[in-house]
């Protein structure tokens, strides 16, 4: 055997191991946990934490939610409207009656309410997850209408035991109280409490009171159409009350009967045989106080509060001091037998004062909101804004001459014309023919578009007479439009309650827009000219004043709308029967002086009495616009109580009243003697034919 075969195999080299760190223990004898076991441990910790959080939440709700009150009698509702500075405006109680008993009602009465409000009322435990999911899905994909997921039990909990806030805490307490009610009361008892206390509009609470109010019959005798109409009111009781919105209430009742068919309560044949419910309204006297503002804001206050029972104080936007000034200004005005209205709001639409007539006790009809009257020349705001959108400026010219073509032949009041004048002069003088020519140029549709953008919702005539304010508009909408100019954004919506905080989505979807800087500057230029040197000069304050007069045919309406010192105010005078005002009253007369007296106090500016020879006449307007035509371009001379203003082209010269006017500086070419036109009628150029 060879030596190579007999030699032993060499020893393998020992495996090289890394040095053990000092102090390190021996390797663990246990295998590391598997990943799925680790996940199970984490899941267990999460579940335990959630259970602990749930127990804490339930304990908190049990302490904060008024469970002890849930089985006690329900307190009758009442609302006290408070001014922004905590003065009581009005206190309104409720029209209520005896509770109802489900067993005594026709079967279709509770079925109508369940069909439209809570179809699974008989099967859920107070909260309906399926209903919540269905409502969430509908609201996610719906472009308009929204659905709620609250059950009848939750609505009872919210309306009787909780406040009207929309926080998560309130919703959680509402759910807990709903479970509590379901545990202690039968379904019929819950339905009885709900029907006996829910709000049906017109200050009426409870099914019995609503049945007597709208149909003059006990609820035990309600027909299917009547029950459907009452059930339909609960979505928006103030808006759908059939006394004010019969069409809306009937349309909603149709949805209820369709829901009753889908729920299997009635057949299609029964539904098709039904006739709409007929009203037999029984008015109940209101023993509580009221004001024009309170009547206007109360429905919104009730809707915001929901059907919450017990005494409530609702803070409004009204300013007590400014309201008293408004009432005093109307009371002191020389109105004779005429009526008057006033609306004052901040540029954001917060109404701080409202007067709807001379005497609320004699007439509760709110002429500031409910009456629709022609705005006259105040409507020219929209005409000139449309002209600016079309590219024109206040220094562009328009013909203030008779219109001799076409079928519509408007004229200036008193037959006074000024020839070729600037838009600024035309607006200040309230030229009718100039406004119609501008409307012809920019188009009626564009004028209507501006009015709609600024919040006018009333129907508007689609012809050239629109330029002269022949379409009837509520005074509050006219005020909103001028508030938009004051704010620089549009539209502005008048409101009597502080606005609720908007979520990010609401802010994202807001349709408010800003005026372009150029358009805003130009329209404010015109409003300043009209209020300080034009037909509205009787309203001019020391503070920068912006506004416009309006007078309708035969002096049936006289209006002044304007703003100063952060306050927007509109004043209207007229007769309820639409008869002419005596003495040819105009917007630059009594309304402008009411406006000035009120605004001076509202913005804390001292009022200087007008000269004796102008107190009882409209002579202030007679010196408002003196137009001349010279050889070079166009020149105008404006006279007011402070002095003389000479406009030549784009330049302006201001002379004090005690300094005789001289020629403008610089060489002057020879020109024929100027032709001066002074309106003999103090309202010339403001009143539409």
């Amino acid at each position: 055997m060879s030596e190579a075969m007999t030699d032993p195999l060499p020893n393998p080299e020992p495996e090289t191991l890394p040095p053990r760190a000092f102090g390190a223990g021996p390797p663990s004898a246990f295998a590391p946990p598997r990943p799925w076991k680790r996940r199970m441990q984490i899941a267990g910790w999460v579940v335990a934490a959630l259970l602990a959080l749930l127990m804490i939440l339930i304990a908190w709700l049990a302490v904060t939610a008024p469970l002890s009150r849930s089985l006690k009698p329900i307190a009758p509702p009442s609302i006290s409207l408070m001014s922004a500075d905590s003065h009581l405006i009005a206190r309104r109680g409720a029209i209520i009656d005896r509770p109802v008993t489900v067993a005594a009602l026709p079967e279709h009465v509770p079925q109508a309410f369940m069909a439209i409000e809570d179809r699974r009322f008989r099967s859920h435990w107070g909260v309906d997850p399926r209903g919540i999911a269905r409502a969430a899905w509908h609201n996610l994909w719906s472009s308009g209408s929204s659905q709620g997921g609250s059950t009848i039990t939750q609505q009872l909990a919210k309306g009787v035991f909780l406040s009207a806030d929309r926080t998560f805490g309130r919703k959680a307490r509402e759910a807990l109280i709903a479970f509590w009610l379901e545990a202690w009361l039968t379904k019929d008892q819950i339905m009885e409490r709900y029907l006996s206390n829910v709000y049906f509009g017109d200050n009426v609470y409870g099914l019995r009171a609503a049945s007597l109010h709208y149909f003059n019959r006990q609820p035990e005798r309600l027909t299917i159409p009547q029950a459907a109409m009452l059930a339909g009111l609960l979505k928006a009781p103030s808006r759908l009350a059939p006394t004010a919105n019969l069409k809306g209430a009937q349309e909603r009742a149709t949805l209820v009967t369709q829901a009753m068919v889908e729920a299997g309560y009635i057949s299609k044949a029964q539904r098709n045989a039904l006739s709409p419910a007929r009203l037999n309204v029984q008015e109940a006297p209101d023993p509580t106080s009221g004001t024009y503002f309170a009547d206007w804001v109360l429905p919104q206050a009730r809707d915001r509060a929901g059907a919450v029972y017990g005494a409530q104080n609702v803070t409004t936007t009204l300013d007590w001091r400014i309201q008293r000034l408004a009432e005093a200004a109307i009371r002191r005005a020389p109105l004779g037998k005429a009526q008057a209205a006033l609306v004052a709001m901040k540029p954001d639409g917060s109404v701080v004062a409202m007067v709807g007539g001379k005497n609320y006790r004699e007439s509760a009809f709110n002429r500031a909101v409910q009456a629709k009257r022609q705005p006259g020349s105040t409507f020219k705001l929209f005409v000139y804004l449309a002209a600016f959108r079309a590219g024109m400026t206040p220094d562009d010219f328009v013909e203030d001459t008779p219109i001799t073509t076409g079928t519509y032949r408007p004229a200036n009041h008193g037959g006074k014309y000024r020839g070729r004048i600037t838009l600024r002069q035309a607006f200040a003088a309230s030229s009718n023919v100039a406004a119609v020519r501008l409307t012809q140029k920019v188009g009626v549709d564009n004028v209507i578009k501006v009015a709609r953008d600024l919040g006018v919702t009333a129907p508007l005539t689609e012809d050239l007479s629109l330029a002269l304010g022949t379409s009837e508009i509520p005074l509050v909408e006219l005020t909103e439009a001028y508030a938009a100019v004051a704010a620089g954004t549009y539209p502005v919506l008048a409101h009597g309650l502080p606005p609720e905080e908007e979520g990010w989505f609401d802010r994202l979807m807001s349709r408010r827009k800003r005026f372009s800087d150029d358009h805003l500057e130009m329209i404010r230029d015109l409003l300043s000219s009209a209020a300080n040197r034009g037909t509205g000069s009787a309203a001019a304050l020391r503070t920068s004043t912006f506004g416009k007069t309006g007078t309708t045919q035969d002096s049936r309406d006289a209006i002044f709308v304007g703003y100063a010192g952060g306050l927007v105010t509109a004043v209207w005078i007229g007769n309820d029967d639409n008869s002419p005002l005596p003495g040819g009253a105009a917007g630059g007369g009594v309304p402008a002086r009411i406006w000035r007296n009120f605004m001076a106090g509202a913005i804390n500016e001292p009022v200087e009495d007008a000269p004796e020879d102008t107190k009882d006449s409209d002579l202030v307007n007679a010196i408002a616009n003196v137009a001349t035509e010279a050889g070079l371009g166009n020149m105008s001379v404006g006279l007011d109580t402070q002095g003389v203003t000479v406009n030549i082209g784009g330049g302006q010269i201001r002379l004090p009243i005690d300094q005789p006017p001289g020629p403008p500086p610089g060489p002057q070419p020879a020109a024929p003697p100027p032709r001066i036109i002074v309106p003999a009628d103090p309202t010339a150029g403001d009143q539409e034919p």
Side-chain angles (χ1 to χ4, degrees):
M1 181 175 296
S2 67
E3 183 179 356
M5 295 181 63
T6 60
D7 286 342
L9 293 174
N11 293 329
E13 297 227 353
E15 184 177 352
T16 304
L17 299 174
R20 184 179 297 173
F22 177 78
S28 173
F30 300 97
R34 295 180 181 179
W36 67 270
K37 289 186 176 180
R38 182 65 175 172
R39 295 192 189 101
M40 289 294 293
Q41 289 176 348
I42 295 175
W45 295 338
V46 171
V47 170
L50 290 176
L51 287 174
L53 183 62
L54 179 62
M55 295 300 294
I56 294 173
L57 177 62
I58 292 175
W60 172 71
L61 291 174
V63 172
T64 59
L67 298 179
S68 60
R69 293 169 45 195
S70 61
L71 303 179
K72 294 181 179 179
I74 298 171
S78 68
I79 287 184
S80 296
L81 297 177
M82 312 298 294
S83 68
D85 46 353
S86 301
H87 285 83
L88 177 66
I89 301 171
R91 180 176 288 116
R92 294 297 175 91
I95 301 172
I96 57 177
D97 212 306
R98 293 179 293 109
V100 296
T101 303
V102 168
L105 296 173
E107 191 177 34
H108 57 257
V109 173
Q111 287 175 345
F113 288 86
M114 288 189 291
I116 197 66
E117 292 292 322
D118 185 5
R119 204 169 296 177
R120 288 168 40 82
F121 172 71
R122 294 290 180 183
S123 60
H124 62 65
W125 292 356
V127 176
D128 184 10
R130 285 171 54 181
I132 295 172
R134 182 183 65 251
W137 180 261
H138 176 274
N139 297 341
L140 178 63
W141 296 106
S142 173
S143 59
S145 62
S146 62
Q147 291 184 357
S150 295
T151 65
I152 283 177
T153 315
Q154 286 177 278
Q155 292 180 48
L156 177 63
K158 176 184 71 173
V160 179
F161 311 117
L162 299 171
S163 65
D165 64 326
R166 292 173 169 82
T167 62
F168 171 78
R170 194 219 73 189
K171 295 295 290 185
R173 289 192 294 269
E174 175 186 301
L176 181 64
I177 295 174
F179 287 132
W180 182 267
L181 291 172
E182 292 278 352
W184 284 94
L185 302 175
T186 67
K187 288 290 186 179
D188 281 355
Q189 288 173 325
I190 292 173
M191 178 63 74
E192 288 169 358
R193 285 186 167 226
Y194 176 73
L195 294 179
S196 298
N197 296 281
V198 73
Y199 181 50
F200 287 93
D202 275 7
N203 200 30
V204 175
Y205 288 77
L207 181 64
R208 189 174 303 279
S211 180
L212 291 169
H213 174 68
Y214 291 118
F215 305 116
N216 193 27
R217 64 170 55 195
Q218 294 292 339
E220 291 80 9
R221 298 178 53 243
L222 284 172
T223 65
I224 293 178
Q226 291 168 341
M229 178 173 285
L230 291 176
L233 299 183
L234 303 188
K235 178 180 176 64
S238 295
R239 178 172 60 84
L240 294 174
T243 49
N245 185 9
L246 180 59
K247 181 180 178 182
Q250 290 175 338
E251 291 174 350
R252 181 69 177 166
T254 301
L255 293 178
V256 175
T257 54
Q258 176 59 31
M260 294 177 73
V261 172
E262 295 171 357
Y265 296 141
I266 61 175
S267 65
K268 289 185 178 180
Q270 285 178 288
R271 190 270 314 273
N272 294 337
L274 297 176
S275 299
R278 299 181 62 181
L279 297 183
N280 184 10
V281 178
Q282 300 299 305
E283 296 287 353
D286 188 354
T288 57
S289 61
T291 67
Y292 294 110
F293 178 84
D295 290 348
W296 175 64
V297 80
L298 185 64
Q300 184 185 1
R302 290 198 188 282
D303 281 351
R304 180 175 294 189
V308 179
Y309 284 68
Q312 298 180 79
N313 288 344
V314 177
T315 300
T316 69
T317 59
L318 184 130
D319 186 297
W320 185 254
R321 182 186 71 87
I322 295 178
Q323 174 67 26
R324 294 180 67 185
L325 289 172
E327 294 170 356
I330 297 296
R331 187 170 56 250
R332 292 196 302 261
L335 297 173
K337 296 181 179 180
Q339 282 288 350
L342 182 152
V343 180
M345 66 178 65
K346 296 178 181 178
D348 66 353
S350 300
V351 175
V352 296
M354 177 180 288
V355 180
K358 290 193 299 185
N359 191 314
Y360 180 85
R361 292 183 179 179
E362 294 180 0
S363 172
F365 180 68
N366 192 339
R367 296 156 188 85
V369 177
Q370 296 172 285
K372 290 185 177 181
R373 304 296 290 250
Q374 292 184 355
S377 291
T378 59
F379 193 87
K380 291 172 183 174
L381 169 77
F382 310 116
V383 175
Y384 283 78
L385 268 172
F388 297 153
R389 285 185 177 183
M392 303 183 73
T393 72
D395 295 315
D396 287 337
F397 289 93
V398 63
E399 292 295 330
D400 183 29
T401 55
I403 295 177
T404 57
T405 60
T407 58
Y408 183 55
R409 304 288 181 87
N412 288 347
H413 180 64
K416 308 301 181 183
Y417 300 92
R418 298 163 183 80
R420 189 167 181 259
I421 58 177
T422 64
L423 268 63
R424 182 182 296 105
Q425 293 168 316
F427 189 84
S430 203
S431 166
N432 290 340
V433 294
V436 172
R437 290 184 192 278
L438 289 174
T439 302
Q440 285 178 316
K441 185 171 183 177
V442 303
V444 173
D445 289 345
N446 288 323
V447 174
I448 293 176
K449 175 66 165 55
V450 173
R452 297 298 186 216
D453 285 348
L454 268 63
V456 175
T457 61
L460 300 175
T461 57
E462 298 183 7
D463 55 46
L464 292 176
S465 69
L466 176 71
L468 306 186
T470 56
S471 296
E472 296 176 338
I473 299 175
L475 188 67
V476 68
E477 285 196 4
L478 192 62
T479 316
E480 290 172 342
Y482 278 75
V485 177
T489 61
Y490 61 91
V492 170
L493 300 179
H495 53 270
L497 299 180
E500 296 178 296
E501 185 176 355
E502 289 184 337
W504 67 270
F505 183 78
D506 293 329
R507 291 193 296 268
L508 182 66
M509 299 302 294
S510 174
R511 63 187 188 97
R512 288 178 64 90
K513 300 179 181 178
R514 294 195 62 83
F515 289 94
S516 73
D517 292 341
D518 290 342
H519 294 168
L520 193 61
E521 181 181 356
M522 289 188 288
I523 196 62
R524 287 176 175 174
D525 177 1
L526 265 58
L527 290 171
S528 175
S529 177
N532 292 281
R533 298 181 297 279
T535 55
S537 57
L541 299 164
R542 294 179 181 177
T543 304
S544 298
T545 308
F546 305 84
K548 185 72 184 74
T549 58
T551 313
T552 62
Q553 187 175 16
D554 298 328
S555 296
R556 299 177 190 275
D557 304 272
I559 306 170
F560 186 86
V561 190
Y563 64 92
L567 197 60
V568 188
T569 301
V571 177
W572 166 89
I573 64 171
N575 292 315
D576 286 341
D577 61 2
N578 206 30
S579 60
L581 293 165
V590 173
R593 291 197 290 273
I594 293 175
W595 189 93
R596 180 176 181 268
N597 292 336
F598 162 72
M599 288 289 290
I603 66 174
N604 295 314
E605 179 177 297
V607 179
E608 296 179 0
D609 291 335
E612 290 297 327
D613 58 350
T614 64
K615 282 185 178 180
D616 299 321
S617 70
D618 290 340
L619 292 179
V620 178
N621 292 325
I623 62 172
N625 286 274
V626 182
T628 73
E629 295 178 8
L632 276 180
N634 178 268
M635 179 174 68
S636 69
V637 180
L639 306 178
D640 56 33
T641 57
Q642 302 299 318
V644 181
T645 302
V646 181
N647 297 282
I648 301 179
Q652 184 181 90
I653 302 172
R654 180 72 176 169
L655 300 176
I657 195 66
D658 57 353
Q659 178 180 341
Q668 298 296 313
R675 179 166 60 91
I676 302 179
I677 306 172
V678 180
D681 190 307
T683 63
D686 183 50
Q687 191 172 22
E688 288 80 7

